Amino acid sequence: ALAAYRASHDISARLAASDPGNAEWQRDLSVWHERLGDVLMAGGDPTAAAAAYRASHAIFVRLAASDPGNAGWQLGLSVSHERLGDVLMEQRDLAAAVSAYRASLEIRGRLAASDPTNAVWQDDLAVSHNKLGDVLRAGGDLPGALRAYRTGLAIRQRLAASDPDNAEWQRGLSVLHERLGDVLRAGGDLVGAISAYRASYDIRERLAASNPD
């Protein structure tokens, strides 16, 4: 799989180099850097993955700067920040991971605010709050993690209420209840933790009952 990704990446790199002004080819190259990074991460090579993600990020920085109003470029830039946060988290560089996740969250916050009816952007924003909460919790900042999880939870609750049959959104809501419970338990709020865990359990019980197979 890695060899195939590298071959496709090399083709995309040659195309992008032949016409640096072609934004679509630049975007394609960035996507191939990102995919290569994903494969390297899955293969247990976070150092090489970080290099691939940084190459992807550098391209999206240029694209987003060249056309700040292009939501697609902004979204791609937010994803590249998130991927960097993921690999930095894996490498236990928590301070840098926080910075990367906050950068991603800031962009997604702007996108979500520009179109509150866009459920995908709202979901992306919830993911960013979740990831920020994870890294803050890993670094021992329980109050910060609690704030991040609660903000993400509020978004997930709105999404789940808007489409109760969306199993993925229901599952995402249960995960955030669980994360919230973990932080509350770590902070000594056992009553709050039990309440959060029960909310998570209730959702998962309903999902299991709706799909017994």
Side-chain angles (χ1 to χ4, degrees):
L2 183 57
Y5 274 104
R6 287 195 187 280
S8 296
H9 166 273
D10 290 346
I11 293 169
S12 184
R14 287 195 296 272
L15 285 172
S18 71
D19 186 2
N22 188 315
E24 291 299 325
W25 285 358
Q26 296 297 320
R27 183 198 68 85
D28 289 346
L29 177 58
S30 179
V31 169
W32 277 112
H33 280 304
E34 179 186 307
R35 289 176 179 171
L36 182 59
D38 291 344
V39 172
L40 290 164
M41 273 287 282
D45 190 350
T47 300
Y53 289 146
R54 286 193 175 97
S56 174
H57 178 71
I59 294 171
F60 266 118
V61 167
R62 293 195 297 272
L63 289 173
S66 71
D67 185 3
N70 187 314
W73 298 159
Q74 295 297 322
L75 183 61
L77 181 58
S78 79
V79 171
S80 73
H81 278 299
E82 181 180 81
R83 288 293 199 282
L84 282 174
D86 292 344
V87 74
L88 290 163
M89 181 83 160
E90 178 70 19
Q91 295 174 321
R92 305 304 293 174
D93 188 348
L94 300 184
V98 167
S99 179
Y101 285 144
R102 286 195 189 280
S104 179
L105 189 150
E106 183 180 348
I107 295 168
R108 290 177 177 180
R110 290 198 301 269
L111 289 172
S114 72
D115 184 2
T117 64
N118 189 317
V120 173
W121 288 356
Q122 297 296 322
D123 186 60
D124 286 345
L125 182 58
V127 169
S128 285
H129 282 293
N130 192 5
K131 285 181 177 287
L132 180 61
D134 288 346
V135 71
L136 290 172
R137 181 176 61 159
D141 182 359
L142 297 184
L146 195 61
R147 286 192 297 272
Y149 287 145
R150 280 180 169 152
T151 304
L153 181 67
I155 297 170
R156 290 283 191 199
Q157 286 173 326
R158 290 195 297 271
L159 288 172
S162 72
D163 186 1
D165 294 329
N166 188 315
E168 190 60 31
W169 287 352
Q170 295 295 325
R171 181 184 174 280
L173 179 58
S174 77
V175 168
L176 267 172
H177 277 299
E178 181 182 10
R179 295 282 207 283
L180 187 62
D182 290 343
V183 174
L184 290 168
R185 183 180 62 177
D189 183 355
L190 300 185
V191 173
I194 289 172
S195 177
Y197 287 144
R198 285 194 188 280
S200 178
Y201 174 81
D202 288 346
I203 294 169
R204 294 183 185 189
E205 190 174 43
R206 289 196 300 272
L207 288 173
S210 68
N211 188 18
D213 296 331

